């Protein structure tokens, strides 16, 4: 009994401890830029919109296992938030929202612990490697369209499998390599953990509920690895946006974990496949400056 309680406690203690320690480091290093005038002006009419953006983006991500970055960034840009501020804010807020999402999915029994363990360490290694190479060697924008083509193919496979009467689960080989690739592309491409990892696993016939829950839980560590880099080197000059995204995302996290239990397998897989195709087509179009 004590062992069970200990295993349950770590799902709550580990995310909270990591986030609290990172906040202390940021305060000590002076990379969180607050001022009293900014605090007084921060809770303006736009703050409510930032909360709604965070709520909507996390609801999509928690239910379908992807698209937090695309959804939140698109809405922030439409509200007039500069691209650089949007990118930093989304990465930092995602550290907190993915932590809340991991706790929620665990609480509602959506996590396959073996799958989670197989994704965790390789995903973090891929994320850290991608962040390091992006700083010195790789142009993420060049690679994005090719990864998007790969994801369109995955989206088609997922929809085809959803329309099949009998879905045969295939053994997923090289989970570690998939996680490394997903974490790597998430760093250098500004997103991709969910679309790549979730889509690949669903394409092999895995159960959507446990796939989405496990991938979302592992995403906390992946997001933390990349998000802490933004915090330490860039600082936070847009705390209003970050706080709004965190508040909205935290509210939506348990809702996403509930919905993933309620939505049936077939419509969920069709939604995921369609979303992957739309996101990927949008990325390709933007990469070639067609819009």
């Amino acid at each position: 009994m004590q062992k069970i309680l200990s295993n349950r406690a770590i799902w709550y203690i580990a995310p909270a401890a990591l986030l609290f320690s990172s906040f202390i480091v940021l305060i000590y290093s002076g990379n969180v830029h607050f001022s009293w005038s900014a605090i007084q002006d921060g809770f303006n009419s736009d703050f409510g919109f930032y909360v709604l953006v965070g709520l909507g983006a996390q609801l999509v991500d928690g239910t379908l296992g992807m698209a937090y970055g695309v959804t939140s960034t698109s809405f922030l840009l439409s509200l007039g938030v500069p691209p650089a501020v949007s990118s930093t804010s989304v990465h930092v807020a995602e550290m907190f929202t993915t932590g809340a999402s991991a706790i929620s999915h665990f609480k509602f029994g959506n996590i396959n612990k073996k799958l989670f363990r197989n994704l965790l360490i390789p995903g973090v290694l891929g994320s850290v490697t991608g962040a390091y190479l992006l700083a010195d060697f790789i142009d993420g924008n060049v690679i994005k369209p090719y990864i998007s083509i790969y994801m369109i193919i995955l989206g088609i496979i997922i929809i085809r499998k959803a329309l099949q009467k009998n879905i045969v689960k295939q053994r997923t080989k090289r989970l570690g390599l998939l996680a490394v690739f997903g974490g790597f592309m998430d760093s250098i491409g500004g997103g991709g953990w969910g679309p790549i990892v979730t889509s690949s696993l669903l394409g092999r016939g895995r159960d959507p509920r446990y796939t989405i829950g496990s991938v979302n839980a592992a995403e906390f560590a992946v997001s933390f690895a990349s998000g802490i880099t933004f915090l330490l080197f860039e600082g936070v000059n847009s705390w209003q946006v970050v706080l709004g995204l965190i508040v909205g995302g935290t509210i939506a996290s348990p809702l996403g974990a509930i919905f993933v239990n309620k939505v049936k397998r077939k419509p969920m897989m069709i939604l995921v496949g369609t979303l992957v195709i739309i996101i990927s087509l949008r990325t390709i179009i933007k990469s070639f400056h067609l819009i």
Side-chain angles (χ1 to χ4, degrees):
M1 183 66 177
Q2 186 175 0
K3 184 177 180 181
I4 294 174
L5 291 174
S6 178
N7 289 336
R8 290 180 64 86
I10 196 170
W11 285 90
Y12 300 93
I13 295 172
L18 284 172
L19 294 173
F20 179 75
S21 61
S22 66
F23 181 75
I24 296 299
V25 170
L26 291 168
I27 294 295
Y28 179 77
S29 63
N31 280 333
V32 179
H33 307 295
F34 289 110
S35 67
W36 285 113
S37 60
I39 292 174
Q40 291 172 359
D41 296 335
F43 295 99
N44 52 29
S45 58
D46 288 339
F47 182 77
F49 288 112
Y50 302 148
V51 173
L52 291 176
V53 169
L55 193 151
Q58 185 57 43
L59 193 59
V60 171
D61 188 79
T63 305
L64 299 182
M66 66 188 72
Y68 177 88
V70 172
T71 304
S72 53
T73 300
S74 298
F75 277 111
L76 288 176
L77 291 176
S78 70
L79 290 173
V81 179
V85 174
S86 297
S87 178
T88 302
S89 301
V90 168
H91 276 83
V92 173
E94 201 169 14
M95 294 170 59
F96 294 83
T97 56
T98 53
S101 182
I103 292 171
S104 298
H105 278 294
F106 173 75
K107 183 176 181 180
F108 288 100
N110 299 335
I111 296 175
N112 179 319
K113 293 182 180 178
K114 182 179 179 181
L115 176 59
F116 169 78
R117 287 194 298 267
N118 286 333
L119 295 175
L120 184 63
I121 301 301
V124 171
L125 292 176
S127 178
V128 172
T129 302
Y132 170 73
L133 292 178
L134 182 63
D136 295 316
F137 304 107
I138 295 177
D139 185 352
N141 292 323
V142 173
I143 296 178
K144 271 186 178 181
Y146 301 100
I147 300 301
S148 297
I149 293 172
Y150 163 75
M151 289 196 291
I152 287 174
I153 296 172
L154 285 177
I156 294 171
I157 291 173
I158 291 169
I159 293 174
R160 181 174 63 83
K161 284 185 175 291
L163 297 175
Q164 292 176 352
K165 290 185 178 180
N166 296 314
I167 300 177
V168 179
K169 180 180 176 180
Q170 303 176 46
R171 184 179 178 185
T172 308
K173 300 179 179 179
R174 301 182 179 89
L175 269 176
L177 289 177
L178 175 64
V180 169
F181 180 58
F184 181 81
M185 288 312 306
D186 194 74
S187 288
I188 70 172
W193 172 257
I196 290 172
V197 180
T198 301
S199 300
S200 297
L201 294 176
L202 291 181
R204 303 292 292 181
R206 278 187 171 267
D207 182 87
R209 172 187 171 185
Y210 294 108
T211 298
I212 291 171
S214 303
V215 173
N216 265 262
E219 187 178 15
F220 168 65
V222 174
S223 298
F224 190 89
S226 58
I228 199 69
T229 304
F230 273 96
L231 286 172
L232 292 174
F233 292 99
E234 299 292 336
V236 178
N237 295 305
S238 54
W239 68 266
Q240 302 95 327
V241 182
V242 174
L243 183 59
L245 293 177
I246 291 172
V247 171
T250 302
I251 293 171
S253 291
L255 297 177
I258 294 172
F259 289 159
V260 80
N261 276 305
K262 302 298 183 182
V263 181
K264 293 183 179 179
R265 181 190 186 103
K266 181 176 178 179
M268 182 182 291
M269 289 184 69
I270 292 174
L271 277 172
V272 171
T274 303
L275 186 60
V276 168
I277 292 172
I278 291 172
I279 293 171
S280 302
L281 285 174
R282 179 178 177 273
T283 301
I284 292 172
I285 291 171
K286 289 189 70 175
S287 296
F288 290 103
H289 307 289
L290 297 178
I291 58 173

